[in-house]
Amino acid sequence: MSEVANSRPLLRATGVTKIFPGTVALDHVDFTLQPAEVHALLGENGAGKSTLIKCLTGAYRRDDGDILLNGEPVDPRGTLDAQSYGIGTVYQEVNLLPNLSVAENLFLGHQPTRFGMISGREMTRRARETLSQYGLDIDPARSLGDFSVAVQQVIAIARAVNLSGKVLILDEPTASLDSGEVKMLFDIIRSLRDRGIGIIFISHFLDQVFEISDRVTVLRNGRLIGTEDAANIDRVQLVNMMLGRELEHETRETGKTDLAPGAPWLEFDDFGKKGRIAPFDLKIRPGEVVGMAGLLGSGRTETAETLFGAVTHDSGTARSRGEEIELRSPRDAVAAGFGFCPEDRKIDGIIADLSVRENIILALQARIGWARPVPRRRQAEMAEDFIRRLDIRTSDAEKPVGLLSGGNQQKVLLARWLATNPKFLILDEPTRGIDVGAHAEIIHLIEELCAEGMSLLVISSELDELVAYSHRVIVVRDRHHVAELVGADITTDNMVDAIASAHNGSAT
Amino acid sequence: MNSRFLPLLATVAIFILAYAVCYAQFPAMLSTRVIGNLFTDNAFLGIIAVGMTFVIISGGIDLSVGSVIAFSGVFISVMLRDTGLHPIPVFAVLLLITTLFGAAMGATIHFLEMPAFIVTLAGMFLARGMAYVLSIDSVPITHDFYSAIQSFYWLMPGKGRLTFIGGLMLVVFIAGMLVAHRTRFGTNVYALGGGTHTAQLMGVPVARTTIAIYALSGFLAGLSGIVFSIYTSAGYSLATVGVELDAIAAVVIGGTLLTGGSGFIAGTLIGVLIMGLIQIYIIFDGTLSSWWTKIVVGMLLFAFIVLQKGLVWFTGRNRASAAGTS
Ligand SMILES: Nc1ncnc2c1ncn2[C@@H]1O[C@H](COP(=O)(O)OP(=O)(O)OP(=O)(O)O)[C@@H](O)[C@H]1O
Ligand SMILES: [Mg+2]
């Protein structure tokens, strides 16, 4: 063990146990955090990572176990309490409060006051100061809800950093950040670590874990598997610890070339929307996977939304099997056999109080009309089928989705769109927040679906993943489709070049 | 421009428009006399509307306030009649009772996880029932202290009278604005309206805040009861039936979102004044039935709810296009 491990732990939890009806989420888990270390907490979706940190901060009452902070037993009774011990947290599902201003979100509960009154000017000044450390130049007086999810995530992190005198806990903080923002976050984490703060970091991006962590702790099914120095362990060993099995790893250097040349069935000509995405041409063949690469904000999501009618296009036409079709609203798109699993699943997807089964059936039922309910037996069969195929970790299909772990909620949303059996499915970041094991399974599923003749448009920031399943990749930059790579030309290097290169004309 | 201020601007615009229409027909309405009356006649409504604004911003509702006013009037008049106490200690006891009453409702809402609608509906019946128990008849108040307060006013330029109760309402509004925008408690109220679960995870003391919000509403309902007893010189258990709905209407017309999380105390003041203005217009006109007040208020309410829906829709789209990612 490294020398930090020998000093007195900053935070030591022993025998932490948490039981939910039907699930033992944590089973006598031990965890120690040293001062000045970044400690990654890893495990599959539903392993108990979020539950562990919620027990540490008192957001959940633990059923058993002790927590020592600097050797003193502590028992935080909630986030407020945890904050007063110097523990700042970004919870996985936290979205902050969109109705409050940015400054209020940053300082809620700790606003600077003078004579008992909040000093708005001082608060704005400090907010600006804090935000500038993160390279954000925004007006702190504006409502948080006016900003993108990525900006909100940065603000949530900034808030937690401000509140963490001793311990900073980040539960999947990087899920909606681009690489520049991740780099900035990591610089901040390193400087906090150098000041002696202990940081708990949860992520499914193993590259990030290796980049930033000093030690890793792995949980599986609510049990502690082990704690290791990050320097003494490699990726394969780590995946083994997480999954309890080898991940058969099929690496692929270039995109797929196995598609039988067929006529495109979907054709978009000069399709676009002013101010969102420049007009583009797009042809989709049956069974084809079209990947879409580009930076955050480059126009990937805008393309998807325009295709699906979520934003009505103002130029161009769409044809399906040679016939012109209307695509003015999602309703038209669904009628034409389209499906769309959006990126921002927290906001427009999950209905937390409905069961897994009801959530899966929702889009299908909406498509065939509420007057003709899907028979209950059929619903149960479909739910069971998707729970198995996507490896959704739930005690049963009737559990409210809100009680599933974050990653498993995302799988349910994916299942919802797959259940409608669309002919053309658009997936925006389908594997974000999903563990390495399930990741492989989703790629597998994508391949299966294509073999059945479904066409897919997949947006992803993970270039390896695009290489693994795409027949064709479209690169988007500055709201233009700037390049198209086919088959053997699809390599990570080529995509990076296309994303980075200067504007070279020809919109695809 | 911050879209949060749009409903407030709409309220101000409607008020100015309404006043302009009144002035065009009855130039006499632009006098401090009319304005003084506007404040005096609506003082009790304005005071509960401040409490109601806090409650609604937090995502709740308080249906008990009208009954609490009636209870307060009866309590004061009966105490003054039967005990011979000076009004000031009676006021103190009353405010203590109504504050605790509100706090108890807040505690029930939070700890038993019951909808505010149900709990305060029960509170409404309870308070009205207590008023009946004290006295069924209207009890007149005759006390020198009351006459002194009633004859006290500040003469505004133009011979308008700002009475004690009108002034008190303004003080309550100013205090309400300070609390809403300049204290941590105020921000916590908005935070609750944004989402209880998120607020909890951000460290807002949800229990304490919820109880304090309903206690505040109870306190202001008691204060409003005192004001109403000064205004009418009596306590009557059948008084102020349905006034809680007027208060809710004033809050919504004032630009506060019924779903919580957004709104302004200042908007509520203008909401109250708009409702008062309609009444004065009807009095000036002389031929219209007073039911027209209800009809106009109903139409305004409807217009505001449509406006708010539109705004939510519009800002949602705006956000998608201005800040949409990837
Ligand atoms: N409030 C709850 N009620 C019932 N079960 C719950 C509740 N919260 C979590 N669980 C269950 O506890 C288990 C662990 O969930 P947890 O959220 O800790 O997983 P996780 O490791 O954070 O996964 P992910 O990577 O998907 O975020 C899951 O099986 C989940 O269904
Ligand atoms: Mg989690």
Side-chain angles (χ1 to χ4, degrees):
Chain A
M1 289 226 146
S2 66
E3 75 271 38
V4 281
N6 299 325
S7 60
R8 190 172 77 161
L10 177 60
L11 184 76
R12 174 194 283 277
T14 44
V16 178
T17 301
K18 177 73 195 173
I19 298 168
F20 292 116
T23 335
V24 181
L26 292 174
D27 186 1
H28 294 92
V29 171
D30 298 335
F31 180 82
T32 53
L33 178 71
Q34 302 295 340
E37 80 161 340
V38 179
H39 195 138
L41 189 56
L42 302 177
E44 291 175 287
N45 297 130
K49 305 178 296 292
S50 301
T51 307
L52 177 60
I53 64 158
K54 282 190 177 166
C55 287
L56 293 180
T57 60
Y60 284 160
R61 293 307 298 150
R62 56 186 190 279
D63 294 311
D64 196 10
D66 299 305
I67 302 173
L68 302 179
L69 185 69
N70 281 328
E72 305 269 327
V74 293
D75 187 20
R77 312 204 125 255
T79 312
L80 190 62
D81 235 13
Q83 286 168 4
S84 68
Y85 288 123
I87 304 177
T89 315
V90 177
Y91 293 102
Q92 186 173 10
E93 75 271 34
V94 94
N95 296 311
L96 301 180
L97 292 159
N99 62 320
L100 297 190
S101 74
V102 170
E104 283 167 337
N105 269 291
L106 274 174
F107 297 111
L108 186 64
H110 307 267
Q111 297 97 328
T113 55
R114 277 181 63 205
F115 314 116
M117 292 276 144
I118 292 174
S119 161
R121 202 177 308 148
E122 170 73 6
M123 192 160 87
T124 309
R125 193 185 62 72
R126 281 204 221 164
R128 271 189 202 289
E129 202 176 280
T130 306
L131 292 173
S132 70
Q133 287 173 22
Y134 296 82
L136 277 185
D137 181 26
I138 56 176
D139 177 5
R142 283 191 47 194
S143 301
L144 182 87
D146 292 348
F147 297 98
S148 70
V149 182
V151 171
Q152 295 190 19
Q153 183 70 27
V154 173
I155 293 167
I157 293 166
R159 171 181 167 83
V161 170
N162 276 344
L163 294 174
S164 53
K166 296 190 186 105
V167 178
L168 172 63
I169 303 178
L170 302 168
D171 194 349
E172 295 195 32
T174 55
S176 41
L177 301 188
D178 69 25
S179 53
E181 288 161 333
V182 169
K183 192 174 164 303
M184 195 137 51
L185 172 65
F186 282 6
D187 287 343
I188 287 166
I189 290 180
R190 287 193 191 98
S191 79
L192 289 172
R193 174 184 61 191
D194 296 342
R195 270 167 39 199
I197 290 175
I199 294 133
I200 304 177
F201 176 72
I202 299 179
S203 177
H204 291 292
F205 297 106
L206 296 186
D207 296 340
Q208 294 180 0
V209 168
F210 280 111
E211 184 185 340
I212 192 91
S213 339
D214 301 307
R215 289 196 301 158
V216 294
T217 288
V218 176
L219 300 180
R220 195 194 316 144
N221 290 331
R223 292 211 186 82
L224 175 70
I225 300 301
T227 299
E228 300 285 344
D229 277 4
N232 298 342
I233 187 168
D234 66 20
R235 200 184 162 98
V236 175
Q237 288 170 308
L238 197 58
V239 171
N240 280 347
M241 283 173 81
M242 286 166 62
L243 304 187
R245 64 185 157 87
E246 299 264 340
L247 185 65
E248 66 269 28
H249 209 65
E250 187 198 348
T251 44
R252 192 193 277 276
E253 297 297 314
T254 67
K256 293 188 167 178
T257 50
D258 57 350
L259 188 69
W265 72 279
L266 266 179
E267 291 170 89
F268 300 91
D269 291 317
D270 204 29
F271 212 73
K273 164 82 182 166
K274 237 200 174 119
R276 296 184 50 83
I277 185 74
F280 58 89
D281 294 342
L282 182 65
K283 295 185 175 33
I284 309 263
R285 292 185 290 168
E288 186 178 32
V289 181
V290 179
M292 191 164 269
L295 300 175
L296 220 63
S298 60
R300 303 178 308 178
T301 297
E302 286 76 359
T303 303
E305 286 175 349
T306 314
L307 289 176
F308 194 64
V311 174
T312 309
H313 63 105
D314 58 5
S315 73
T317 54
R319 268 174 297 152
S320 166
R321 300 189 206 291
E323 308 232 348
E324 192 158 323
I325 50 170
E326 281 266 303
L327 269 187
R328 316 208 68 83
S329 66
R331 218 187 145 86
D332 294 341
V334 170
F338 292 18
F340 177 35
C341 190
E343 175 186 32
D344 198 354
R345 274 150 280 198
K346 273 183 201 161
I347 293 176
D348 34 30
I350 273 296
I351 303 178
D353 293 330
L354 292 187
S355 71
V356 174
R357 173 181 56 79
E358 287 164 322
N359 267 287
I360 290 179
I361 230 73
L362 200 65
L364 176 63
Q365 188 68 74
R367 202 185 69 179
I368 62 178
W370 296 98
R372 290 190 298 138
V374 179
R376 186 63 188 258
R377 271 264 299 287
R378 178 92 193 92
Q379 293 189 17
E381 279 166 22
M382 292 181 71
E384 288 306 330
D385 184 43
F386 281 111
I387 289 173
R388 192 174 41 76
R389 279 167 78 182
L390 294 176
D391 190 22
I392 298 170
R393 302 288 168 90
T394 174
S395 44
D396 61 280
E398 297 306 318
K399 190 164 178 166
V401 164
L403 303 184
L404 262 54
S405 80
N408 284 306
Q409 295 186 8
Q410 305 219 354
K411 294 188 206 164
V412 171
L413 265 175
L414 192 58
R416 176 190 296 171
W417 286 105
L418 293 175
T420 62
N421 201 7
K423 293 198 282 283
F424 176 50
L425 180 60
I426 305 169
L427 301 174
D428 198 349
E429 297 285 1
T431 54
R432 189 167 273 176
I434 283 178
D435 70 55
V436 278
H439 200 282
E441 269 150 49
I442 285 176
I443 292 179
H444 207 75
L445 190 74
I446 287 178
E447 287 169 345
E448 261 177 56
L449 291 170
C450 292
E452 290 165 18
M454 182 191 289
S455 311
L456 282 146
L457 180 76
V458 188
I459 299 172
S460 178
S461 305
E462 287 177 72
L463 301 182
D464 298 343
E465 185 184 304
L466 287 174
V467 172
Y469 51 63
S470 304
H471 297 101
R472 200 143 58 90
V473 167
I474 291 166
V475 178
V476 192
R477 198 185 54 234
D478 297 334
R479 306 191 177 243
H480 286 270
H481 288 199
V482 292
E484 177 170 323
L485 304 169
V486 182
D489 288 340
I490 306 175
T491 61
T492 19
D493 289 345
N494 284 349
M495 281 189 269
V496 171
D497 285 350
I499 291 170
S501 71
H503 200 345
N504 50 13
S506 76
T508 311
Chain B
M1 232 290 297
N2 210 323
S3 58
R4 271 191 295 175
F5 295 109
L6 270 176
L8 184 63
L9 282 184
T11 308
V12 173
I14 289 176
F15 179 68
I16 293 173
L17 191 76
Y19 219 118
V21 168
C22 292
Y23 175 68
Q25 283 193 26
F26 311 108
M29 276 185 73
L30 190 67
S31 72
T32 53
R33 250 187 254 201
V34 172
I35 292 171
N37 284 344
L38 207 52
F39 286 162
T40 308
D41 296 341
N42 294 289
F44 74 100
L45 179 63
I47 292 173
I48 49 166
V50 172
M52 191 67 81
T53 312
F54 280 99
V55 173
I56 291 180
I57 288 174
S58 81
I61 197 90
D62 187 350
L63 298 177
S64 71
V65 289
S67 301
V68 171
I69 295 177
F71 166 79
S72 306
V74 177
F75 179 84
I76 294 168
S77 54
V78 169
M79 288 293 273
L80 291 183
R81 183 189 66 192
D82 297 350
T83 63
L85 280 169
H86 190 270
I88 287 183
V90 174
F91 291 168
V93 173
L94 171 78
L95 290 176
L96 188 68
I97 294 174
T98 61
T99 307
L100 287 177
F101 180 69
M105 288 195 298
T108 314
I109 290 166
H110 177 77
F111 291 110
L112 302 187
E113 292 177 23
M114 301 235 289
F117 177 79
I118 304 291
V119 174
T120 59
L121 187 68
M124 169 174 123
F125 285 117
L126 193 67
R128 186 72 65 182
M130 291 303 290
Y132 282 127
V133 169
L134 288 178
S135 169
I136 300 175
D137 307 314
S138 174
V139 183
I141 299 174
T142 47
H143 195 284
D144 295 343
F145 183 72
Y146 263 72
S147 339
I149 291 188
Q150 279 158 352
S151 55
F152 176 85
Y153 59 85
W154 176 65
L155 202 61
M156 292 185 281
K159 296 242 168 59
R161 291 175 179 187
L162 182 62
T163 54
F164 173 78
I165 57 174
L168 185 63
M169 175 184 81
L170 289 181
V171 170
V172 169
F173 268 102
I174 291 167
M177 284 185 238
L178 284 178
V179 171
H181 303 299
R182 302 293 301 276
T183 66
R184 288 185 182 165
F185 168 74
T187 315
N188 288 346
V189 174
Y190 283 86
L192 285 193
T196 323
H197 180 67
T198 309
Q200 179 114 42
L201 283 184
M202 286 179 78
V204 172
V206 174
R208 210 182 333 137
T209 309
T210 307
I211 293 170
I213 290 166
Y214 287 90
L216 177 67
S217 181
F219 172 82
L220 290 175
L223 192 64
S224 173
I226 294 171
V227 164
F228 195 70
S229 74
I230 295 171
Y231 184 57
T232 60
S233 296
Y236 184 32
S237 48
L238 272 177
T240 59
V241 172
V243 158
E244 60 280 349
L245 301 181
D246 291 338
I248 294 169
V251 171
V252 173
I253 292 176
T256 296
L257 222 55
L258 251 185
T259 44
S262 152
F264 298 92
I265 306 284
T268 300
L269 174 60
I270 298 174
V272 169
L273 294 182
I274 289 176
M275 290 174 66
L277 202 61
I278 298 168
Q279 252 155 2
I280 294 189
Y281 179 87
I282 284 163
I283 294 167
F284 266 66
D285 184 274
T287 61
L288 290 171
S289 139
S290 71
W291 285 103
W292 277 100
T293 321
K294 306 269 177 210
I295 292 169
V296 176
V297 167
M299 291 193 305
L300 275 180
L301 268 181
F302 183 71
F304 260 86
I305 290 165
V306 170
L307 173 82
Q308 289 177 350
K309 269 277 170 241
L311 268 182
V312 169
W313 177 82
F314 180 77
T315 49
R317 271 181 63 115
N318 229 13
R319 183 174 88 86
S321 61
T325 52
S326 75

